[in-house]
Amino acid sequence: MIETLPFIMILASALLHATWNAMARSGAEPGDVLACSVMISGAFGLPGLVWFGPPAAASWLYLAAGVILNTIGVRLAMAAYRTASFGLAYPVMRAGIPLLTLPIGAVMLNEWPRPSGVAGVLLIAAALIMLALAARKAGRAEMRGLGFALMASVAGAGFVTADAFGVRLSGNVLGYAFAVTIGNGLSLALLTRLEGRNPLALVPVHAARSLAISVLSMTSFLLYIAVVAVTPVALAAALRETSVLFAVAMAHFVLKEDVGRFHWAAAALALAGVIGIRLA
């Protein structure tokens, strides 16, 4: 059974994760807002890294791999948000992560959840797929955006796994987390520059929204990485993907997207998955 404190922490991380994604999607330029927030988080990570110190050298390779995969995932997410609705893109991006981390965690980390845990992961993934199908059926899907979302999901599973390895070798959970935020910020700033834009000039344009997103996303990540250090990665990843349940509510009440009975059925399925994981 997952301990109570990590369970609460990962659900809090899920709520914050859905909130900042909805904030990014609701802006006029979601890609630029998301890029700016990642760069601001990198700046915030500098004093944190100085205070807590760097992670052990054994974790640096995984840290670098996670940063590269996260940067790829962020760019794919930006593309998905430009070409598909939030109600479609977000569930698709999140659904593949627990499905892929379950076998990876079992084989590479020797983390074999109990049957109730496996069932919980599969139920949550099924719920996310149901939400994506609901969006597709409603005619809001654009196939190019769906493709970007699927590729972002694969990248997401990659950096989740890399971080699970890295944080356990780091000997310093917070130092590792702040190093990751710095790496992500530098990587995205470099990519923005290679695209022909000045990242320092881009940040002030979206400063207010990006700053708020940065605070939420960093808090969400710190909670998540602390849980992954002590909890099987597939279970932690699946619980974090319950952020989609919060995202459904935000899509309806904030972004004014349709939410029907199919969505609430998916939410009930995901809730059953959460209970299964809690018992695992």
Side-chain angles (χ1 to χ4, degrees), residues 200-224:
L200 295 179
L202 187 64
V203 170
V205 178
H206 305 285
R209 183 182 294 269
S210 295
L211 180 61
I213 291 173
S214 176
V215 171
L216 293 175
S217 64
M218 279 195 71
T219 305
S220 174
F221 179 68
L222 289 171
L223 289 169
Y224 171 72

Side-chain angles (χ1 to χ4, degrees), residues 29-116:
E29 295 289 341
D32 288 348
V33 169
L34 187 54
C36 291
S37 68
V38 173
M39 290 186 280
I40 291 172
S41 294
F44 284 161
L46 285 171
L49 184 62
V50 171
W51 182 265
F52 291 102
S59 68
W60 291 358
L61 179 61
Y62 296 102
L63 193 156
V67 166
I68 292 170
L69 288 168
N70 181 68
T71 302
I72 294 171
V74 167
R75 301 306 284 181
L76 289 169
M78 292 176 189
Y81 285 160
R82 291 191 190 103
T83 51
S85 73
F86 183 69
L88 172 77
Y90 192 68
V92 169
M93 284 190 288
R94 309 316 301 179
I97 294 177
L99 287 176
L100 291 171
T101 54
L102 181 63
I104 291 172
V107 173
M108 301 183 68
L109 295 171
N110 198 31
E111 295 176 348
W112 298 87
R114 294 178 182 178
S116 64

